[in-house]
Amino acid sequence: MRITFLLFVLVLAFSSENNAQTAKKPVRIGVVGLVHSHVGWILNRAQKTGDPDIQVVGIAEPNREVAERYMKRYGLPMSLVYPTIEEMLDKTRPDAVTAFNEISRHLEVVKVCAPRGIHVMVEKPLAVSFDQAKQMEALAKKHNIHLLTNYETTWYGSNHKAYQMAVKDGAIGPIRRIVVHDGHDGPSRMNKEFVAWLTDPVTNGAGALFDFGCYGANLATWLLKGQRPTSVSAFTLQIKPDTYPKVDDDATIVLVYPKTQVVIQPSWNWPFSRKDMEVYGETGYVFTLDGTRMRMRLKDDKTEQTTEAAKTDAPVSDPFDYLAQVVRGETKSVDDLSSLQVNMVVMEILDAARRSAKEGGKPIALK
């Protein structure tokens, strides 16, 4: 009888655990803005029915024409759309929001969401200035919310495999140089509402310097375990002033550390789209060519080797699955690519790079 009772208790416990997992509700997501071209990422997820991780419950977009165009394109109802962030939050009660508006308005999103205890994930970069980033950080800490930054390259298996080799395994020796190339042939061919703010120094912070320079600053800070550079230098060009009259379209950023140098080359003038990285150590190197393809040469290799990263090399392959995990407390965002800690250093670098470029490349010392 006692054995039967114990078996019953074990079965009941197993059944309860299974039911709890099955009953796990998707995290309720609000979308702020439709003027960032990356917004298709979340709208594709909004189309999925029965998504176990997220449910898009509302969209805040004041431009009715833009909203109607996107809802039609993705087959979503206009009933999802609200004219203001406040109304969307009041009516839909999301657990978190994803911001796809102008970078200059990220602070506004946090000001509205943080006091309500609503977590925020913004598209890269975190802000248009280090000052705005500090205000956002203070609000996030005061109201105990997660404030994350999303980069496409965060979900590249190749970057995580390079990190494993260079940082965790020490396979190439101490890192001495990092070179990052990011960009494409220019945003002028993209939709008008995106180009309008992306090419404005007030709403975007700069041109290619911020738009693509943030990727390299993010990856370098992560690979160097959160180190701040001792100095930042930057040089910018306007190769196409008729197309981009207000902002730079090509840049080089140099970060100096005690024993490492980082060169970041963001541009709207590459002949093709690219997001690749070279990491050199004392005894070898590892290159990421895209999200999967890699090249490397280690200490005892006689020739360069090629390999491919798997999706599983990245802990999570999608920003919204990651957001759901963070909100549920299933993973912590402390010193990873999306974390506030890393992205505060990124903003300090970008802010210094912009100042350096205005002074003809003068090195800006970080105190």
Side-chain angles (χ1 to χ4, degrees):
M1 185 75 175
R2 182 179 177 81
I3 293 173
T4 304
F5 177 73
L6 286 172
L7 284 172
F8 171 75
V9 170
L10 286 171
V11 169
L12 185 64
F14 178 76
S15 175
S16 297
E17 184 178 349
N18 263 4
N19 287 339
Q21 290 177 351
T22 303
K24 184 167 66 174
K25 294 181 179 179
V27 172
R28 295 170 62 82
I29 301 292
V31 179
V32 177
L34 295 171
V35 295
H36 196 301
S37 69
H38 293 180
V39 74
W41 211 339
I42 187 71
L43 297 182
N44 275 321
R45 286 295 293 268
Q47 292 177 306
K48 291 176 65 177
T49 56
D51 192 321
D53 290 306
I54 70 165
Q55 178 189 4
V56 175
V57 295
I59 298 168
E61 174 51 60
N63 188 319
R64 184 84 179 178
E65 184 274 323
V66 169
E68 288 176 346
R69 181 172 7 117
Y70 273 99
M71 294 305 97
K72 182 178 180 181
R73 181 184 304 174
Y74 290 91
L76 298 170
M78 278 298 291
S79 57
L80 278 175
V81 180
Y82 298 85
T84 67
I85 305 174
E86 291 85 353
E87 185 176 350
M88 186 268 286
L89 298 181
D90 290 342
K91 296 286 180 62
T92 66
R93 304 288 180 182
D95 303 305
V97 303
T98 57
F100 292 92
N101 55 354
E102 301 91 333
I103 309 303
S104 59
R105 296 186 64 198
H106 286 176
L107 174 58
E108 175 192 342
V109 175
V110 177
K111 282 182 174 179
V112 174
C113 291
R116 300 169 187 241
I118 297 170
H119 308 289
V120 179
M121 174 182 272
V122 302
E123 280 302 294
K124 58 80 191 172
L126 176 62
V128 293
S129 69
F130 189 44
D131 178 66
Q132 282 200 5
K134 286 188 287 187
Q135 293 181 59
M136 293 163 71
E137 178 188 40
L139 284 164
K141 289 181 176 179
K142 178 181 178 180
H143 297 286
N144 196 30
I145 68 160
H146 298 291
L147 176 54
L148 310 173
T149 306
N150 179 40
Y151 297 79
E152 178 189 338
T153 46
T154 298
W155 321 109
Y156 283 11
S158 57
N159 286 334
H160 290 274
K161 189 168 183 176
Y163 182 89
Q164 178 70 43
M165 292 177 62
V167 180
K168 291 187 175 180
D169 299 341
I172 62 173
I175 297 173
R176 294 290 176 251
R177 179 178 294 272
I178 300 170
V179 182
V180 187
H181 310 102
D182 282 294
H184 47 47
D185 61 353
S188 58
R189 53 187 163 74
M190 298 177 184
N191 60 64
K192 62 183 180 180
E193 62 272 5
F194 180 49
V195 174
W197 70 260
L198 188 67
T199 58
D200 187 314
V202 174
T203 49
N204 188 40
L209 181 75
F210 267 47
D211 185 32
F212 283 113
C214 61
Y215 286 99
N218 181 242
L219 289 165
T221 303
W222 178 56
L223 286 162
L224 297 174
K225 299 181 178 180
Q227 269 193 86
R228 296 164 65 247
T230 55
S231 72
V232 178
S233 303
F235 309 86
T236 58
L237 295 173
Q238 270 189 309
I239 295 174
K240 300 173 182 174
D242 292 339
T243 306
Y244 312 112
K246 298 179 182 179
V247 293
D248 63 277
D249 54 26
D250 192 271
T252 298
I253 306 168
V254 180
L255 312 179
V256 177
Y257 300 80
K259 294 185 178 180
T260 308
Q261 189 176 90
V262 176
V263 179
I264 302 167
Q265 296 183 306
S267 181
W268 289 343
N269 290 288
W270 292 113
F272 46 80
S273 295
R274 65 185 305 186
K275 288 186 175 74
D276 55 89
M277 174 175 66
E278 304 167 5
V279 184
Y280 298 89
E282 282 190 359
T283 60
Y285 62 75
V286 55
F287 297 172
T288 63
L289 307 181
D290 52 30
T292 57
R293 296 181 301 136
M294 302 175 69
R295 290 161 44 202
M296 64 191 70
R297 185 170 179 179
L298 307 184
K299 185 177 181 180
D300 296 324
D301 292 341
K302 293 184 178 179
T303 60
E304 184 177 86
Q305 309 296 315
T306 61
T307 188
E308 290 207 4
K311 280 188 176 182
T312 51
D313 283 306
V316 183
S317 60
D318 179 278
F320 313 114
D321 293 339
Y322 171 80
L323 175 59
Q325 288 182 13
V326 171
V327 170
R328 288 176 178 147
E330 297 168 352
T331 191
K332 292 183 178 180
S333 178
V334 178
D335 57 2
D336 61 18
L337 287 159
S338 300
S339 70
L340 182 57
Q341 177 180 318
V342 166
N343 282 284
M344 289 302 294
V345 179
V346 171
M347 285 312 308
E348 193 173 7
I349 289 170
L350 292 178
D351 206 85
R354 181 171 52 197
R355 282 185 284 142
S356 173
K358 286 180 179 178
E359 297 185 40
K362 176 185 174 182
I364 303 296
L366 300 192
K367 299 177 182 180

